[in-house]
Amino acid sequence: MADPLMEFAQATGLRAMPVLYGVGDHGGGPTRKDLRKLQEMDAWPVYPRVEFSTLRHFFALAEQVEGLPVIKGERNFVFEGCYTSQARQKEANRHSENLMFAAEAAAVLGERLAGVAYPQDNLVEAWHSLLFDQFHDILPGSGVRATRHYTLGHAQDVQATAMMARTNALRALGQRVNTDALRCEFAPGGALRAHKDEVESGVALGAGVGNATATGGESAFSVTRTSDRAYLVFNPLAHPRTEVVRVKLWDTTLDHALLVATSEAAAPQPVQVMGTGTYAGHDFLEVAFPVEVPALGYRTVCVSDRRVELGLPVPEENSLWDGVGGALRTREPSQAVLENEFLAVRLDPASGSIVSLVDKRAKREYVHPGEHLGVLQYCVETYEGMSAWVIGRFKSREDLLQGGQLVKVDSGPHVQTYRWRRKVGDTTVVLDISLSQGMRRIDFELRVDWREVGSREIGIPHLKIRFPVDLAVGSSGPVAKYEIPFGSIERDLFNGEEVPAQRWVDLFGSDGVGITLVNTSKYGYNVEGTSLNMTLLRASIDPDPLPDLGDHVIRYALLPHAAGWGEGDATQAGEDLNIPLVVSSVDFHAGDLPAAKSLVSVEPKSVRLASLKRAENGNGMIMRLVEVEGVAVEAKVHIAADLLGDAASGTEVDILERPLSENSARIEGETLTVRVPAFGTTTVCVAA
């Protein structure tokens, strides 16, 4: 301690220096031996005084010194390998966080609107497990093999708890919705046309139980199998969304060409057949259609075979699938093009990358001639020790520009998808590139059977994805913004240095035009010139020699944008990809709730709803808001009367839900108004 004290005093002018001490890797407290040793050292002659104290006392001393040096910027770029090591643990953490957000919001609705008991104890236990596994050697991936097994077991428990809370709430909520209204539009004069019963004698209802639930997904359970089938589509986010959803029709004999999706006050939508399959002895047909869902609310939809009755033309073909039990008719593309009303995308069959990306409305090309946007890169690092922590120097870097095969697997009208496949060493990669109707983003789903094994001699295999974008840049280069917890940060690092981020990174030029890359499980990024790169997998060897062998599913999306795109837009895009719409099967029945309803919405866009949960004391609901653009605002939260209750009041509380001395929250009618500081959080308890 003596030598560092001298250096510290010379640098700062302070004659006191704090020293953190204790057991292990800065995690444990002092032992009796430590305490005795410090008492002994304090008695040493010609040695600095040693005393037990607090950081509060140290900073009180520091405040008395003038002219202390000021260090600006981040100080935490250490062990950059930890942004990617142990990919399964990181994916499990993000997925669990997303599920817990949606589960708490749904549970509040279930309790207040449908009388479902709020599963407080279960959710608290799940949060304990999730937060424990964010410990500094678990989530970073610098733990031993047993750590991985233990953590992934925790994640299964968390996801099962969240899914149970969400499912119970949504099914009860669905019973209050008047789904009979969905059928009344099908026949002239509003008369109900009888359902055609597709259930054969001796076959039980309820196919699909357990399907899609392995990692916390909503069960594809089907309440009924008649010619008309109803679904409740739940939006956990506090802004309206129009997206393409997928549902499964079980044991159906309906004519695919006649399928149509209808909903209250919306034009009928043709249904696109996405695929077929079998689960637990039951055949299913997966279909897709767009749906507009209100902010933190729901919409019920009906899928039926009434396309002709509704006056829609019958298409010759709207998919690449044969009938139930049929096969996928893949097509080798002569020109690999994806296009909707916003974007036109041209793909390179050999690399599966984008060689042209045009914003049709702005008439702007985002790919420089000869470049490949979204190209996979296989690298090998030198082994420099502590490979889970440290990214070594690259021995080799190869863009995978050749050797792949591209086929078309989905062909509109709602979703277009190309599938690219190739081998990389012993590893197989399969990449689906999709463009959906009404969406300004390109979706990617990368499935990797990772078989790379690192070694001290060969090095550490490393897989990246690169997006070299054509930007207007001046002498200062592009601008890169990265999402951090409850905010974002701009970094002037364009030399390939690995840095952390959460759900999105935005790279744009001097004119504000650029791209936002969003993802559901990755944390390590770098920018080289105008190329935005994301690290996908690494084959580190210590302390776990085989951390990520096997299958991985990596989802990310690219959003080209014009000037005026802000942190609120990027954060909303990250939320949309990470917290999808939830589809739950319901039956037809009378109810006192409308077919579609918004229950909570927040404005402006710069304010995001970070949490909706029941208060820990059971009295009221907690809304946590965060401002992401650095401008203090007065947020408005619109809360449906059904959820708000009678004589509701709003009180600002701290993170422990204790009332603050100053309260800017007020409720007038169905609107809560409250101040949110720049880059700050505000928590409000809404209670009757």
Side-chain angles (χ1 to χ4, degrees), residues 232-303:
L232 182 143
V233 184
F234 171 57
N235 175 15
L237 300 175
H239 61 267
R241 302 162 72 179
T242 300
E243 297 181 15
V244 175
V245 298
R246 301 189 182 199
V247 303
K248 288 179 179 174
L249 310 179
W250 293 91
D251 299 327
T252 182
T253 58
L254 299 179
D255 187 337
H256 298 181
L258 301 181
L259 293 176
V260 65
T262 54
S263 61
E264 171 266 340
Q269 294 283 353
V271 163
Q272 178 179 342
V273 175
M274 303 301 294
T276 62
T278 300
Y279 180 82
H282 293 273
D283 292 328
F284 65 80
L285 174 69
E286 186 174 39
V287 300
F289 51 87
V291 59
E292 181 181 344
V293 190
L296 216 162
Y298 65 87
R299 180 177 297 278
T300 48
V301 296
C302 178
V303 177

Coordinates of all heavy atoms in Angstrom, one line a residue, residues 232-303:
L232 N -56.1 -14.0 -29.3 CA -55.8 -12.8 -28.6 C -54.4 -12.4 -28.8 O -53.5 -13.2 -28.5 CB -56.2 -12.8 -27.1 CG -56.0 -11.5 -26.3 CD1 -57.1 -11.4 -25.3 CD2 -54.6 -11.5 -25.6
V233 N -54.1 -11.3 -29.4 CA -52.7 -10.9 -29.7 C -52.4 -9.8 -28.6 O -53.0 -8.7 -28.6 CB -52.5 -10.3 -31.1 CG1 -51.0 -10.0 -31.3 CG2 -53.0 -11.4 -32.1
F234 N -51.4 -10.0 -27.8 CA -51.1 -9.1 -26.7 C -49.8 -8.4 -27.0 O -48.8 -8.9 -27.4 CB -50.9 -9.9 -25.4 CG -50.3 -9.2 -24.2 CD1 -51.0 -8.0 -23.7 CD2 -49.2 -9.6 -23.6 CE1 -50.5 -7.3 -22.7 CE2 -48.7 -8.9 -22.5 CZ -49.3 -7.7 -22.0
N235 N -49.8 -7.0 -26.8 CA -48.7 -6.2 -27.0 C -48.2 -5.7 -25.6 O -48.8 -4.9 -24.9 CB -49.1 -5.0 -27.8 CG -47.9 -3.9 -27.9 OD1 -46.8 -4.2 -27.6 ND2 -48.3 -2.7 -28.4
P236 N -47.0 -6.2 -25.1 CA -46.5 -5.8 -23.8 C -45.9 -4.4 -23.7 O -45.6 -3.9 -22.6 CB -45.5 -6.9 -23.5 CG -45.6 -7.9 -24.5 CD -46.2 -7.2 -25.7
L237 N -45.7 -3.8 -24.9 CA -45.0 -2.5 -24.9 C -46.0 -1.3 -25.0 O -47.1 -1.4 -25.5 CB -44.1 -2.4 -26.1 CG -43.0 -3.5 -26.1 CD1 -42.2 -3.5 -27.4 CD2 -42.1 -3.4 -24.9
A238 N -45.6 -0.1 -24.5 CA -46.5 1.0 -24.3 C -46.6 1.9 -25.5 O -46.7 3.1 -25.4 CB -46.1 1.8 -23.1
H239 N -46.5 1.3 -26.7 CA -46.7 2.0 -28.0 C -47.4 1.0 -28.9 O -47.2 -0.2 -28.9 CB -45.4 2.5 -28.6 CG -44.4 1.4 -28.9 ND1 -43.4 1.0 -28.0 CD2 -44.2 0.7 -30.0 CE1 -42.7 0.1 -28.6 NE2 -43.2 -0.2 -29.8
P240 N -48.2 1.6 -29.9 CA -48.9 0.7 -30.8 C -47.9 0.0 -31.8 O -46.9 0.6 -32.1 CB -49.9 1.6 -31.5 CG -49.3 3.0 -31.3 CD -48.6 3.0 -30.0
R241 N -48.3 -1.2 -32.2 CA -47.4 -1.9 -33.1 C -48.2 -2.5 -34.3 O -49.3 -3.1 -34.0 CB -46.6 -3.0 -32.4 CG -45.8 -2.4 -31.3 CD -45.4 -3.5 -30.3 NE -44.4 -4.4 -30.8 CZ -43.9 -5.5 -30.1 NH1 -44.3 -5.7 -28.8 NH2 -43.0 -6.2 -30.6
T242 N -47.7 -2.5 -35.5 CA -48.3 -3.2 -36.6 C -47.2 -4.2 -37.1 O -46.2 -3.7 -37.6 CB -48.7 -2.3 -37.7 OG1 -49.7 -1.4 -37.2 CG2 -49.3 -3.1 -38.9
E243 N -47.4 -5.4 -36.9 CA -46.4 -6.5 -37.2 C -47.1 -7.7 -37.8 O -48.3 -7.9 -37.6 CB -45.6 -6.8 -36.0 CG -44.8 -5.7 -35.4 CD -43.9 -6.1 -34.2 OE1 -43.8 -7.3 -34.0 OE2 -43.5 -5.2 -33.5
V244 N -46.3 -8.5 -38.4 CA -46.8 -9.8 -38.9 C -46.6 -10.8 -37.8 O -45.5 -11.0 -37.3 CB -46.0 -10.2 -40.2 CG1 -46.5 -11.6 -40.6 CG2 -46.2 -9.2 -41.3
V245 N -47.7 -11.5 -37.5 CA -47.7 -12.6 -36.4 C -47.9 -13.9 -37.1 O -48.5 -14.0 -38.2 CB -48.7 -12.3 -35.3 CG1 -48.5 -11.0 -34.6 CG2 -50.2 -12.3 -35.9
R246 N -47.5 -15.0 -36.4 CA -47.7 -16.3 -36.8 C -48.6 -17.1 -35.8 O -48.4 -16.9 -34.6 CB -46.4 -17.0 -37.0 CG -45.4 -16.3 -38.0 CD -44.2 -17.2 -38.3 NE -43.3 -16.5 -39.2 CZ -42.3 -17.1 -39.9 NH1 -42.2 -18.4 -39.8 NH2 -41.5 -16.4 -40.7
V247 N -49.5 -17.9 -36.4 CA -50.3 -18.8 -35.5 C -50.3 -20.1 -36.1 O -50.1 -20.3 -37.3 CB -51.8 -18.2 -35.4 CG1 -51.7 -16.8 -34.8 CG2 -52.5 -18.2 -36.7
K248 N -50.7 -21.1 -35.3 CA -50.7 -22.5 -35.7 C -52.2 -23.0 -35.7 O -52.9 -22.8 -34.7 CB -49.8 -23.4 -34.9 CG -48.4 -23.2 -35.1 CD -47.5 -24.0 -34.2 CE -46.0 -23.8 -34.6 NZ -45.1 -24.5 -33.6
L249 N -52.6 -23.5 -36.8 CA -53.9 -24.2 -36.9 C -53.7 -25.7 -36.8 O -53.0 -26.3 -37.7 CB -54.6 -23.8 -38.3 CG -54.6 -22.3 -38.6 CD1 -55.3 -22.1 -40.0 CD2 -55.4 -21.5 -37.6
W250 N -54.4 -26.3 -35.9 CA -54.1 -27.7 -35.6 C -55.2 -28.6 -36.3 O -56.4 -28.3 -36.2 CB -54.2 -27.9 -34.1 CG -53.0 -27.3 -33.4 CD1 -53.0 -26.0 -32.9 CD2 -51.7 -27.8 -33.2 NE1 -51.7 -25.7 -32.4 CE2 -50.9 -26.8 -32.6 CE3 -51.1 -29.0 -33.5 CZ2 -49.6 -27.0 -32.2 CZ3 -49.8 -29.2 -33.2 CH2 -49.0 -28.2 -32.5
D251 N -54.7 -29.7 -36.9 CA -55.5 -30.7 -37.4 C -56.6 -30.1 -38.4 O -57.7 -30.5 -38.3 CB -56.2 -31.5 -36.3 CG -55.2 -32.2 -35.4 OD1 -54.1 -32.6 -35.9 OD2 -55.4 -32.4 -34.2
T252 N -56.2 -29.2 -39.2 CA -57.1 -28.5 -40.1 C -57.2 -29.2 -41.4 O -56.2 -29.7 -41.9 CB -56.8 -27.0 -40.3 OG1 -57.8 -26.4 -41.1 CG2 -55.4 -26.9 -40.9
T253 N -58.4 -29.2 -42.0 CA -58.7 -29.6 -43.4 C -59.1 -28.5 -44.2 O -59.6 -28.7 -45.4 CB -59.7 -30.8 -43.4 OG1 -60.9 -30.3 -42.8 CG2 -59.2 -32.0 -42.6
L254 N -59.0 -27.3 -43.7 CA -59.5 -26.1 -44.5 C -58.6 -25.9 -45.7 O -57.4 -26.2 -45.7 CB -59.4 -24.9 -43.6 CG -60.3 -24.9 -42.4 CD1 -60.1 -23.6 -41.6 CD2 -61.8 -25.1 -42.7
D255 N -59.2 -25.3 -46.8 CA -58.5 -25.0 -48.0 C -57.6 -23.8 -47.7 O -58.0 -22.7 -47.3 CB -59.5 -24.6 -49.1 CG -58.9 -24.4 -50.4 OD1 -57.7 -24.1 -50.5 OD2 -59.6 -24.5 -51.5
H256 N -56.3 -24.0 -47.9 CA -55.3 -23.0 -47.7 C -55.6 -21.7 -48.4 O -55.4 -20.6 -47.9 CB -53.9 -23.4 -48.0 CG -53.4 -24.6 -47.2 ND1 -52.2 -25.2 -47.4 CD2 -54.0 -25.4 -46.3 CE1 -52.0 -26.2 -46.6 NE2 -53.1 -26.3 -45.9
A257 N -56.1 -21.8 -49.6 CA -56.3 -20.6 -50.5 C -57.4 -19.8 -50.0 O -57.6 -18.6 -50.4 CB -56.6 -21.1 -51.9
L258 N -58.3 -20.3 -49.1 CA -59.5 -19.6 -48.6 C -59.3 -18.9 -47.3 O -60.2 -18.3 -46.8 CB -60.7 -20.5 -48.6 CG -61.1 -21.1 -49.9 CD1 -62.3 -22.0 -49.7 CD2 -61.4 -20.1 -51.0
L259 N -58.1 -19.1 -46.7 CA -57.9 -18.6 -45.3 C -57.7 -17.1 -45.3 O -57.1 -16.5 -46.2 CB -56.6 -19.3 -44.7 CG -56.7 -20.8 -44.5 CD1 -55.4 -21.3 -44.0 CD2 -57.8 -21.1 -43.5
V260 N -58.3 -16.5 -44.3 CA -58.3 -15.1 -44.2 C -58.3 -14.7 -42.7 O -58.8 -15.5 -41.8 CB -59.6 -14.4 -44.9 CG1 -60.9 -14.9 -44.2 CG2 -59.5 -12.9 -44.9
A261 N -57.7 -13.6 -42.3 CA -57.7 -13.1 -41.0 C -58.5 -11.8 -40.9 O -58.4 -10.9 -41.7 CB -56.3 -12.8 -40.5
T262 N -59.4 -11.8 -39.9 CA -60.3 -10.6 -39.7 C -60.2 -10.1 -38.3 O -59.9 -10.9 -37.4 CB -61.7 -10.9 -40.0 OG1 -62.1 -12.1 -39.3 CG2 -61.9 -11.2 -41.5
S263 N -60.4 -8.8 -38.1 CA -60.5 -8.3 -36.7 C -61.4 -7.1 -36.7 O -61.8 -6.6 -37.8 CB -59.1 -7.9 -36.2 OG -58.5 -6.9 -37.1
E264 N -61.7 -6.6 -35.5 CA -62.6 -5.5 -35.3 C -62.1 -4.3 -36.0 O -60.9 -3.9 -35.8 CB -62.8 -5.3 -33.8 CG -63.5 -4.0 -33.5 CD -62.6 -2.9 -33.2 OE1 -61.4 -3.1 -32.9 OE2 -63.1 -1.7 -33.3
A265 N -62.9 -3.6 -36.8 CA -62.6 -2.3 -37.4 C -61.3 -2.4 -38.3 O -60.6 -1.4 -38.4 CB -62.5 -1.2 -36.4
A266 N -61.0 -3.5 -38.9 CA -59.8 -3.6 -39.7 C -60.2 -4.4 -41.0 O -61.1 -5.3 -40.9 CB -58.7 -4.3 -39.0
A267 N -59.6 -4.0 -42.1 CA -59.8 -4.7 -43.3 C -59.4 -6.2 -43.3 O -58.4 -6.5 -42.6 CB -59.1 -4.0 -44.5
P268 N -60.1 -7.1 -43.9 CA -59.7 -8.5 -43.9 C -58.3 -8.6 -44.5 O -58.0 -7.9 -45.5 CB -60.8 -9.2 -44.7 CG -62.0 -8.3 -44.6 CD -61.4 -6.9 -44.6
Q269 N -57.5 -9.5 -44.0 CA -56.1 -9.7 -44.5 C -56.0 -11.2 -45.0 O -56.4 -12.1 -44.3 CB -55.1 -9.5 -43.4 CG -55.0 -8.1 -42.9 CD -54.3 -7.2 -43.8 OE1 -53.7 -7.7 -44.8 NE2 -54.3 -5.9 -43.6
P270 N -55.5 -11.3 -46.2 CA -55.2 -12.7 -46.6 C -54.1 -13.3 -45.7 O -53.3 -12.6 -45.2 CB -54.7 -12.5 -48.1 CG -54.2 -11.1 -48.1 CD -55.0 -10.3 -47.2
V271 N -54.2 -14.6 -45.6 CA -53.3 -15.4 -44.8 C -52.2 -16.0 -45.6 O -52.5 -16.6 -46.7 CB -54.0 -16.4 -44.0 CG1 -53.1 -17.5 -43.4 CG2 -54.8 -15.8 -42.8
Q272 N -50.9 -15.9 -45.2 CA -49.8 -16.6 -45.8 C -49.5 -17.9 -45.1 O -49.2 -17.9 -43.9 CB -48.6 -15.6 -45.9 CG -47.4 -16.3 -46.5 CD -46.2 -15.3 -46.6 OE1 -46.4 -14.1 -46.4 NE2 -45.0 -15.8 -46.8
V273 N -49.4 -18.9 -45.9 CA -49.0 -20.2 -45.3 C -47.5 -20.2 -45.2 O -46.7 -20.0 -46.1 CB -49.5 -21.4 -46.2 CG1 -48.9 -22.7 -45.7 CG2 -51.0 -21.4 -46.3
M274 N -47.0 -20.5 -43.9 CA -45.6 -20.5 -43.6 C -44.9 -21.8 -43.5 O -43.7 -22.0 -43.7 CB -45.3 -19.7 -42.3 CG -45.9 -18.3 -42.3 SD -45.2 -17.2 -43.6 CE -43.5 -17.1 -43.1
G275 N -45.8 -22.9 -43.2 CA -45.2 -24.2 -43.1 C -46.1 -25.1 -42.4 O -47.2 -24.8 -42.0
T276 N -45.7 -26.4 -42.4 CA -46.5 -27.4 -41.8 C -45.6 -28.3 -40.9 O -44.4 -28.2 -41.0 CB -47.1 -28.3 -42.9 OG1 -46.1 -29.0 -43.6 CG2 -48.0 -27.6 -43.8
G277 N -46.3 -29.1 -40.0 CA -45.5 -29.9 -39.2 C -46.4 -30.8 -38.3 O -47.6 -30.8 -38.4
T278 N -45.8 -31.6 -37.5 CA -46.5 -32.5 -36.6 C -45.9 -32.4 -35.2 O -44.7 -32.2 -35.0 CB -46.4 -33.9 -37.1 OG1 -46.9 -34.0 -38.4 CG2 -47.1 -34.9 -36.1
Y279 N -46.8 -32.3 -34.2 CA -46.3 -32.3 -32.8 C -47.2 -33.1 -31.9 O -48.5 -33.0 -32.0 CB -46.3 -30.8 -32.3 CG -45.9 -30.7 -30.8 CD1 -44.5 -30.6 -30.5 CD2 -46.8 -30.6 -29.8 CE1 -44.1 -30.5 -29.2 CE2 -46.4 -30.5 -28.5 CZ -45.0 -30.4 -28.2 OH -44.6 -30.3 -26.9
A280 N -46.6 -34.1 -31.2 CA -47.4 -35.0 -30.3 C -48.6 -35.6 -31.0 O -49.7 -35.7 -30.5 CB -47.9 -34.2 -29.1
G281 N -48.4 -36.0 -32.3 CA -49.4 -36.8 -33.0 C -50.5 -35.9 -33.7 O -51.4 -36.4 -34.2
H282 N -50.3 -34.6 -33.6 CA -51.2 -33.6 -34.3 C -50.5 -32.8 -35.4 O -49.4 -32.3 -35.2 CB -51.8 -32.6 -33.2 CG -52.7 -33.3 -32.2 ND1 -54.0 -33.5 -32.4 CD2 -52.4 -33.8 -31.0 CE1 -54.5 -34.1 -31.3 NE2 -53.5 -34.3 -30.4
D283 N -51.2 -32.8 -36.5 CA -50.6 -31.9 -37.6 C -51.0 -30.5 -37.4 O -52.0 -30.1 -36.8 CB -51.3 -32.4 -39.0 CG -50.8 -33.7 -39.4 OD1 -49.7 -34.1 -39.1 OD2 -51.6 -34.4 -40.0
F284 N -50.1 -29.6 -37.8 CA -50.4 -28.2 -37.7 C -50.0 -27.5 -39.0 O -49.2 -27.9 -39.8 CB -49.7 -27.5 -36.5 CG -48.2 -27.4 -36.6 CD1 -47.5 -26.5 -37.4 CD2 -47.4 -28.3 -35.9 CE1 -46.1 -26.4 -37.4 CE2 -46.0 -28.3 -35.9 CZ -45.4 -27.3 -36.7
L285 N -50.7 -26.4 -39.3 CA -50.5 -25.5 -40.4 C -50.1 -24.1 -39.8 O -50.9 -23.6 -39.0 CB -51.7 -25.4 -41.3 CG -51.7 -24.4 -42.4 CD1 -50.7 -24.9 -43.5 CD2 -53.1 -24.2 -43.0
E286 N -48.9 -23.6 -40.1 CA -48.5 -22.3 -39.5 C -48.8 -21.2 -40.6 O -48.4 -21.4 -41.8 CB -47.0 -22.3 -39.2 CG -46.6 -21.0 -38.5 CD -45.2 -21.0 -38.0 OE1 -44.3 -21.6 -38.7 OE2 -44.9 -20.5 -36.9
V287 N -49.5 -20.2 -40.2 CA -49.9 -19.1 -41.1 C -49.4 -17.8 -40.5 O -49.2 -17.7 -39.3 CB -51.4 -19.1 -41.4 CG1 -51.8 -20.4 -42.0 CG2 -52.2 -18.8 -40.1
A288 N -49.3 -16.8 -41.4 CA -48.9 -15.5 -40.9 C -49.8 -14.4 -41.5 O -50.3 -14.6 -42.7 CB -47.5 -15.2 -41.4
F289 N -50.0 -13.3 -40.8 CA -50.8 -12.2 -41.3 C -50.4 -11.0 -40.4 O -50.0 -11.1 -39.3 CB -52.3 -12.5 -41.2 CG -52.7 -12.9 -39.8 CD1 -53.1 -12.1 -38.8 CD2 -52.8 -14.3 -39.5 CE1 -53.5 -12.5 -37.6 CE2 -53.1 -14.8 -38.3 CZ -53.5 -13.8 -37.3
P290 N -50.6 -9.7 -41.0 CA -50.3 -8.5 -40.2 C -51.4 -8.2 -39.3 O -52.6 -8.5 -39.6 CB -50.1 -7.5 -41.3 CG -50.9 -7.9 -42.4 CD -50.9 -9.4 -42.4
V291 N -51.1 -7.6 -38.2 CA -52.1 -7.2 -37.2 C -51.6 -5.9 -36.5 O -50.5 -5.8 -36.2 CB -52.4 -8.3 -36.2 CG1 -51.2 -8.7 -35.4 CG2 -53.5 -7.9 -35.2
E292 N -52.6 -5.0 -36.3 CA -52.3 -3.7 -35.6 C -52.8 -3.9 -34.2 O -54.0 -4.1 -33.9 CB -52.9 -2.5 -36.3 CG -52.7 -1.2 -35.6 CD -53.4 -0.1 -36.3 OE1 -53.8 -0.2 -37.4 OE2 -53.5 1.0 -35.6
V293 N -51.9 -3.8 -33.2 CA -52.2 -4.0 -31.8 C -52.0 -2.7 -31.0 O -50.9 -2.1 -31.1 CB -51.4 -5.1 -31.2 CG1 -51.9 -5.5 -29.8 CG2 -51.4 -6.3 -32.1
P294 N -53.0 -2.2 -30.2 CA -52.8 -1.0 -29.5 C -51.7 -1.1 -28.4 O -51.2 -2.1 -28.1 CB -54.2 -0.8 -28.8 CG -55.1 -1.7 -29.6 CD -54.3 -2.8 -30.1
A295 N -51.3 0.1 -27.9 CA -50.3 0.2 -26.9 C -50.6 -0.5 -25.7 O -51.7 -0.4 -25.2 CB -50.0 1.7 -26.6
L296 N -49.7 -1.3 -25.2 CA -49.8 -2.2 -24.0 C -51.3 -2.6 -23.9 O -52.0 -2.2 -22.9 CB -49.4 -1.5 -22.7 CG -48.7 -2.5 -21.7 CD1 -47.9 -1.8 -20.7 CD2 -49.7 -3.4 -21.0
G297 N -51.7 -3.4 -24.8 CA -53.1 -3.8 -24.9 C -53.2 -5.0 -25.8 O -52.2 -5.8 -25.9
Y298 N -54.3 -5.2 -26.4 CA -54.6 -6.4 -27.1 C -55.5 -6.2 -28.3 O -56.2 -5.1 -28.4 CB -55.2 -7.5 -26.2 CG -56.6 -7.1 -25.7 CD1 -57.7 -7.4 -26.5 CD2 -56.8 -6.4 -24.6 CE1 -59.0 -6.9 -26.1 CE2 -58.0 -6.0 -24.1 CZ -59.1 -6.3 -24.9 OH -60.4 -5.8 -24.5
R299 N -55.5 -7.1 -29.2 CA -56.5 -7.2 -30.3 C -56.8 -8.6 -30.5 O -55.9 -9.5 -30.5 CB -56.0 -6.5 -31.6 CG -57.0 -6.6 -32.7 CD -56.5 -5.9 -34.0 NE -56.3 -4.5 -33.7 CZ -57.3 -3.5 -33.8 NH1 -58.5 -3.9 -34.0 NH2 -57.0 -2.3 -33.6
T300 N -58.1 -8.9 -30.7 CA -58.5 -10.3 -31.0 C -58.7 -10.4 -32.5 O -59.2 -9.5 -33.1 CB -59.8 -10.7 -30.3 OG1 -60.8 -9.7 -30.4 CG2 -59.5 -10.9 -28.8
V301 N -58.3 -11.5 -33.1 CA -58.4 -11.7 -34.5 C -59.0 -13.1 -34.7 O -59.0 -14.0 -33.9 CB -57.1 -11.7 -35.2 CG1 -56.5 -10.3 -35.1 CG2 -56.1 -12.7 -34.6
C302 N -59.6 -13.3 -35.9 CA -60.2 -14.6 -36.3 C -59.5 -15.0 -37.6 O -59.4 -14.3 -38.5 CB -61.7 -14.4 -36.5 SG -62.5 -15.9 -37.0
V303 N -59.2 -16.3 -37.6 CA -58.7 -16.9 -38.9 C -59.7 -17.9 -39.3 O -60.1 -18.8 -38.5 CB -57.3 -17.6 -38.6 CG1 -56.9 -18.3 -39.9 CG2 -56.3 -16.6 -38.2

